[in-house]
Amino acid sequence: IRLGLATVDFHEDLHHNNNHGHYDHDDDHQGLHRESGENYDLKWEARGQGFFDSWNFLEWDANNGAAEYLNREQSFAERVVQADDTHSILRVGGRGAHLKRKTVKIQTQKSWKYFLAAIRLTHVPFGCGLWPAFWTRDSSMSWPNGGELDILEYANDIPSQTSLHVGEPNRCQLDAVETSGPGCPAMPDMNHMDYDCVTRYPDRLGCGPNKLPLQSPAEWNQHPVTFVVEWTEDFIKIWRIPDYALPADLTDNWPQPNEWDRWLTSYYPLRRSGDKCPNPENVMAPQHLVLNIGLCGDWSGKIWDKSPTCLGLNSPAQGCRAVDPLKDDGNMENDCCTQYVWDADGSHGTDAFLQEHGFFNISWVKVSNAEMDECSLKTVRWHTTLGAASCVSLHLILNLLRGVWANRSSIAASRESAHVWQTCWILRVARA
């Protein structure tokens, strides 16, 4: 318990107030980004031996690759998934049907509209032929009209980046200036689509504002990371937080994302993009979380010849070529990536490579929602003597103050007041 003297500002907030989202900075913050002002509460968690209980196992492959996704029973029998007390594993397995490898794709049984989700990873798949992803999708309408957010995605040995995919009905083009506030690092569109999130493969790839430099996932296997995504009706933020800086408020299930922007890796300013993004609150339908390890196909396969490492494993000199399934004849027998992953005679050593490199090691996945009662449209801003500012839900502060202010009528009055200033002591629950 920490006691702090604070000035409490009770005010009406309809989420679209022009001042909402601005905060003072200390040395830990980089630039100015939109604040959520949400009071997040843990709603769902996957960890331990029951990690897979609340996921569905998907068997379809929309990427024309070498992945043979297994159902739940097959996945456990083939040991491409394992759940222990402290961690869970998703991995690529042995050869399956012709030109296919056994692997896994899981999707949360629940979906959420607006949330804060986090995944702690101590190992990620990385290397030629692999196409891992942690992403979100809608299951109620045709893709990409329900939206898709790629939180972690990469192929072969290239760095990871984030992307947002939408359709024409929910079109959104981000304002490039708004992706980076004053003092913030630039976030160029790594999909080179001028921040247009509308996706229609193979020519329109969606938007991908990313802080540079992009990181190689190989680094994460030396230094574990936690990925966090926050989706509100105004914006999307994605953080990549190293283990040594993992916030106690996140591990203690009381996340305060407004304090994490030094680790921000992507920012999607939906509402601030104005007419270019005309329906920001509905850019995406309610989203499921998805985790999978894809193989070859539309991305990993077609860019095989762009990687010296991959060409060193299997190249046109050995009689193959990099096949783009969306543009070429689709003959995967001659695809360099598919030949390497299938490894018909074992000459490439793919089994050993995948055993060592082709898996996720996951500590936990968490989803938090903001409270959605009648007070969720009101926030409390308190300004400490240190000059920092934070926003939390009005009902939270009222609950914290109830014991101290039980006999004060001003608290009841403040619920209805649009703007009442009161100086008081508040109790803040924090780590010492």
Side-chain angles (χ1 to χ4, degrees), residues 162-166 171-180 185-199 204-212 266-270 273 276-277:
T162 78
S163 296
L164 175 63
H165 305 284
V166 301
R171 66 181 178 88
C172 183
Q173 183 173 10
L174 304 178
D175 186 317
V177 174
E178 292 292 347
T179 62
S180 180
M187 291 193 180
D189 182 359
M190 298 307 296
N191 288 338
H192 308 292
M193 294 285 113
D194 194 26
Y195 298 95
D196 185 1
C197 307
V198 175
T199 306
R204 300 179 71 177
L205 307 180
C207 57
N210 284 259
K211 177 184 173 182
L212 297 179
S266 290
Y267 180 56
Y268 295 79
L270 306 177
S273 295
K276 294 180 178 181
C277 192

Side-chain angles (χ1 to χ4, degrees), residues 12 106 118 125 181 261 281 341:
E12 192 76 16
I106 57 174
D261 275 3
E281 63 273 17
V341 166

Side-chain angles (χ1 to χ4, degrees), residues 135-138 141-148 165-167 199-201 204:
W135 52 293
T136 76
R137 67 179 291 266
D138 158 67
M141 60 185 76
S142 60
W143 186 91
N145 295 339
E148 173 187 323
H165 305 284
V166 301
T199 306
R200 188 168 57 249
Y201 292 133
R204 300 179 71 177

Side-chain angles (χ1 to χ4, degrees), residues 74 76 97 148 163 395 430:
Q74 293 169 332
F76 279 99
E148 173 187 323
S163 296
H395 74 279

Side-chain angles (χ1 to χ4, degrees), residues 35-97:
E35 276 190 339
S36 69
E38 304 289 9
N39 171 35
Y40 284 108
D41 185 34
L42 182 67
K43 298 297 184 184
W44 180 92
E45 184 175 26
R47 71 157 73 215
Q49 294 189 13
F51 180 92
F52 295 102
D53 292 352
S54 53
W55 302 79
N56 291 328
F57 286 68
L58 307 182
E59 299 179 63
W60 47 266
D61 177 19
N63 302 125
N64 305 297
E68 180 180 322
Y69 291 114
L70 304 184
N71 63 32
R72 180 183 296 271
E73 292 74 20
Q74 293 169 332
S75 294
F76 279 99
E78 295 285 341
R79 296 185 66 80
V80 295
V81 297
Q82 299 170 248
D84 296 311
D85 290 338
T86 58
H87 65 282
S88 298
I89 301 291
L90 279 76
R91 69 165 60 255
V92 180
R95 283 185 289 273

